[in-house]
Amino acid sequence: MFDKRKVKELVLSSLVADGYCLGSHWVYDEKQLENLDINWDELNDAKSIWHKGKIAGEFTHYGDQLVWLYEFIQAHNDFNVDEYIKYWKTKVDSYNGYIDSATRNTIENIENNKVPTGSDSTDLSIIGRISPLLLVSKTKEEFLENVKEFVEATHNSLDAKNTSQFFAKLLLDVLDGKNIEESILMLKNQSDTKIQSYIENGIASKNEDSFNAIRNFGPACDIDGGFQGVIHLLSKYDNLKDMLINNAKAGGDNSARAMIASMIFMAKKDSTLTMIPQSWLNIKSKIL
């Protein structure tokens, strides 16, 4: 049902967003952000201790895990969550990058034979990894179910599940040619009060400076703060490069915000890879 070329562009755009954010990812101190040794027009080596040793063109652990899902789907041509979690665990067991709490807790649950396996994490980052599931979903309903199972496998909190369904539906709407902000507002009316508040605050901030808006929402990993930041970015920008640069400059968990916002932005009918600076495509990827 879904155009495979377009889906691969969505996956690639999320990876570019993650690779671009590597330089300032998880840098929180405002003075440090202002004085980072970074060329904001290019990919950069990681500056935070959490990604020590990673160089320009590599990914944070978010991008690496997105690649794992893409590779799994390419190898199996379907999404069986039980088989996927086995594959995911083998990748984690040999991984040299950062292991976040959602991953650690999920591994612990697997080893203790706990079902479901997913942690109770409310991290936003899992949602930026959902686009490969379009490749093996024949219908919108199947995509939403695949997203549900994928998210639950590592982030089995109500907030993560509700938020992933919101952005999955938004992605489908934009792929159908609907306007992003109009779709956000339409989906807002179908959402719980918490998500409605996030959307209202995010849209209300679209005329604010992005650094200030994101820092005021909270630049950390949690859905509360990150959700509003994504809505701010999607409401404010009609230029992908400008959106990614201003988001990255706000620091914190900029990759989680960027991966989701880029995926939605690139789902527009008129969005093409030419919107991404050529040098930013020099990432460790074999998607296209």
Side-chain angles (χ1 to χ4, degrees), residues 183-197:
S183 294
I184 290 171
L185 290 171
M186 181 183 70
L187 290 169
K188 168 179 170 283
N189 296 327
Q190 305 170 18
S191 303
D192 62 27
T193 55
K194 183 183 288 187
I195 288 179
Q196 288 179 9
S197 175

Side-chain angles (χ1 to χ4, degrees), residues 1-13 70 74 131-132 134-136 175 263 266-269 271-274 281 286-288:
M1 174 183 178
F2 302 102
D3 180 81
K4 290 191 175 182
R5 182 75 182 183
K6 184 67 172 179
V7 174
K8 289 182 179 181
E9 289 182 355
L10 300 183
V11 178
L12 183 61
S13 67
Y70 179 80
Q74 289 294 101
S131 57
L134 288 163
L135 292 169
V136 288
L175 284 170
M263 174 180 67
M266 284 297 295
K268 296 189 296 183
K269 296 292 185 184
S271 290
T272 68
L273 293 180
T274 60
L281 293 170
K286 297 179 181 177
I287 300 304
L288 292 177

Side-chain angles (χ1 to χ4, degrees), residues 17-18 20-22 24-27 33 40 124 209-211 214-215 218-219 225-226 228-234 236-237 239-262 280:
D18 179 71
Y20 175 72
C21 286
L22 175 67
S24 56
H25 186 241
W26 280 352
V27 177
L33 283 167
W40 295 106
L124 181 69
D209 174 78
S210 290
F211 185 92
I214 289 170
R215 304 294 296 189
Q228 300 96 305
V230 173
I231 299 299
H232 165 85
L233 295 170
L234 291 172
K236 183 176 180 69
Y237 294 99
N239 180 288
L240 181 64
K241 180 182 177 182
D242 289 346
M243 180 180 77
L244 289 174
I245 290 176
N246 285 286
N247 167 69
K249 286 182 175 180
D253 200 6
N254 48 22
S255 175
R257 300 188 300 266
M259 290 176 76
I260 300 170
S262 296
W280 293 13

Side-chain angles (χ1 to χ4, degrees), residues 136-176:
V136 288
S137 301
K138 297 181 178 64
T139 65
K140 294 178 180 180
E141 292 74 20
E142 185 178 7
F143 175 62
L144 295 175
E145 181 60 26
N146 283 336
V147 168
K148 176 179 178 292
E149 292 187 351
F150 169 70
V151 170
E152 287 177 342
T154 55
H155 294 64
N156 191 34
S157 67
L158 183 61
D159 283 349
K161 289 184 281 190
N162 287 346
T163 299
S164 64
Q165 288 295 299
F166 172 85
F167 282 108
K169 290 175 183 177
L170 178 60
L171 177 60
L172 292 172
D173 282 352
V174 179
L175 284 170
D176 275 347

Side-chain angles (χ1 to χ4, degrees), residues 60-80:
T60 75
H61 53 301
Y62 301 158
D64 287 333
Q65 293 204 38
L66 171 54
V67 171
W68 299 350
L69 174 62
Y70 179 80
E71 290 176 344
F72 176 84
I73 284 174
Q74 289 294 101
H76 293 80
N77 201 32
D78 70 354
F79 181 70
N80 178 292

Side-chain angles (χ1 to χ4, degrees), residues 89-128:
K89 186 178 184 300
T90 66
K91 301 296 284 188
V92 173
D93 287 344
S94 61
Y95 186 55
N96 292 321
Y98 183 77
I99 302 294
D100 59 23
S101 60
T103 299
R104 288 197 306 273
N105 292 340
T106 299
I107 291 295
E108 183 178 340
N109 289 343
I110 293 170
E111 292 175 346
N112 290 330
N113 297 313
K114 183 177 178 181
V115 178
T117 58
S119 71
D120 61 357
S121 174
T122 57
D123 286 354
L124 181 69
S125 59
I126 186 64
I127 299 154

